[in-house]
Amino acid sequence: MIGQVGRTQLSLLGSVQPKGNQPVQTLETTNETDAIDVETIDSDSIVYDKYGNTEVFGINVGNSLLANQFSEEDVKRWNQINQEQGPLKNIWEEIVGTGNTGYSTGYSMSFFDFCYLAEKGKMVNPQNALSSDEAQQQIQSKNWFTFFKNTTVNGKGIDVQDAMQHLDILQRCYEIGLINNHGGLMSSDELLATINKQKYDEQRAFLEKQYAKDLETKELEVNSLEKAKQVYNDSI
């Protein structure tokens, strides 16, 4: 049974269990449903190569669209998860190409973008967002236990019970609309369209607010002028 997703710390173990006092990786989720964050890091920390890959804090994050929002601590943690091929990476690889309708939808979403959006728990696409019950139904429709049982990393099986705990992250992806209406992870093209729409809506809202403010100022100026005229007429 998949638990309710609140503010939790979800274990992100790789295929090898921690030894001794080795820290366990975690992926934090929140209940927030705000739009994608717009905070950015120092542009000097981001480098682009000729193939379109992005390097942040010395780490290659692929064709990331959200690299300017990553913290150094997060990037290092996500990179460790990526290298260890843990359950979260297995889930990403399974859903990133699912639900394709037969035509190209552009590049797959970067694993690092996926981690960022899943962890921050912000609303990505309200049109694709599912309720908690609907998300659970979608997850239960696929036999993830068998999937993890058949998954190997470096020729070895993984801890299936531990991997099953990571399905809470998948539920979060459904709830914030990160899964498209074809049943697959949003592509980079779809994510870019979402980001551009958000920027357009924000700009339009700003311009409308500025127009209303300018209109109010003009009305005050007109009223002041009319009052001045009236005072002048009364004084004659």
Side-chain angles (χ1 to χ4, degrees):
M1 182 64 178
I2 300 170
Q4 293 295 325
V5 180
R7 186 173 183 80
T8 59
Q9 291 289 334
L10 302 179
S11 171
L12 290 189
L13 304 178
S15 60
V16 180
Q17 295 296 325
K19 298 180 180 179
N21 294 322
Q22 179 180 348
V24 174
Q25 300 175 63
T26 59
L27 185 64
E28 180 179 326
T29 63
T30 74
N31 288 325
E32 299 176 14
T33 56
D34 298 331
I36 300 172
D37 287 339
V38 294
E39 296 179 359
T40 60
I41 62 175
D42 187 346
S43 59
D44 292 338
S45 300
I46 303 178
V47 177
Y48 303 95
D49 67 18
K50 63 181 181 180
Y51 301 106
N53 293 315
T54 307
E55 188 175 282
V56 185
F57 304 111
I59 297 174
N60 189 328
V61 295
N63 59 319
S64 170
L65 298 174
L66 304 173
N68 62 336
Q69 300 173 41
F70 298 164
S71 70
E72 184 172 6
E73 179 183 1
D74 285 338
V75 171
K76 289 181 178 179
R77 177 162 48 84
W78 296 333
N79 188 53
Q80 183 179 353
I81 296 168
N82 185 41
Q83 292 177 340
E84 291 181 353
Q85 293 287 309
L88 184 63
K89 182 66 178 295
N90 300 146
I91 293 174
W92 174 79
E93 290 177 340
E94 177 66 8
I95 67 175
V96 74
T98 303
N100 205 322
T101 55
Y103 54 86
S104 174
T105 56
Y107 290 105
S108 300
M109 178 183 291
S110 161
F111 174 69
F112 289 84
D113 284 352
F114 169 70
C115 287
Y116 173 82
L117 293 171
E119 177 172 347
K120 300 308 175 181
K122 302 299 181 67
M123 182 60 69
V124 178
N125 189 339
Q127 294 181 339
N128 290 336
L130 301 181
S131 68
S132 177
D133 289 342
E134 291 172 332
Q136 289 188 30
Q137 290 175 5
Q138 289 295 324
I139 294 172
Q140 291 168 358
S141 66
K142 176 180 175 65
N143 192 340
W144 284 96
F145 183 87
T146 300
F147 168 77
F148 288 127
K149 187 177 180 180
N150 295 329
T151 298
T152 59
V153 175
N154 297 324
K156 298 180 179 180
I158 65 174
D159 185 333
V160 177
Q161 294 299 332
D162 171 68
M164 290 292 289
Q165 297 179 22
H166 293 73
L167 294 181
D168 277 349
I169 288 295
L170 183 57
Q171 177 171 333
R172 169 63 69 175
C173 291
Y174 278 109
E175 292 176 352
I176 65 176
L178 197 55
I179 307 295
N180 62 36
N181 56 12
H182 302 305
L185 183 65
M186 180 183 289
S187 70
S188 284
D189 285 350
E190 292 169 320
L191 177 59
L192 180 60
T194 298
I195 294 172
N196 288 338
K197 182 179 184 303
Q198 178 181 327
K199 291 181 178 179
Y200 170 79
D201 290 343
E202 290 174 348
Q203 183 179 33
R204 183 178 62 179
F206 172 79
L207 292 176
E208 289 176 349
K209 183 177 181 180
Q210 187 63 42
Y211 174 76
K213 183 178 180 180
D214 292 343
L215 184 61
E216 181 180 359
T217 300
K218 290 181 180 180
E219 289 177 350
L220 290 174
E221 292 175 350
V222 170
N223 290 336
S224 296
L225 181 60
E226 291 297 327
K227 288 181 180 180
K229 288 181 178 179
Q230 187 61 45
V231 171
Y232 173 77
N233 292 332
D234 292 343
S235 65
I236 297 176

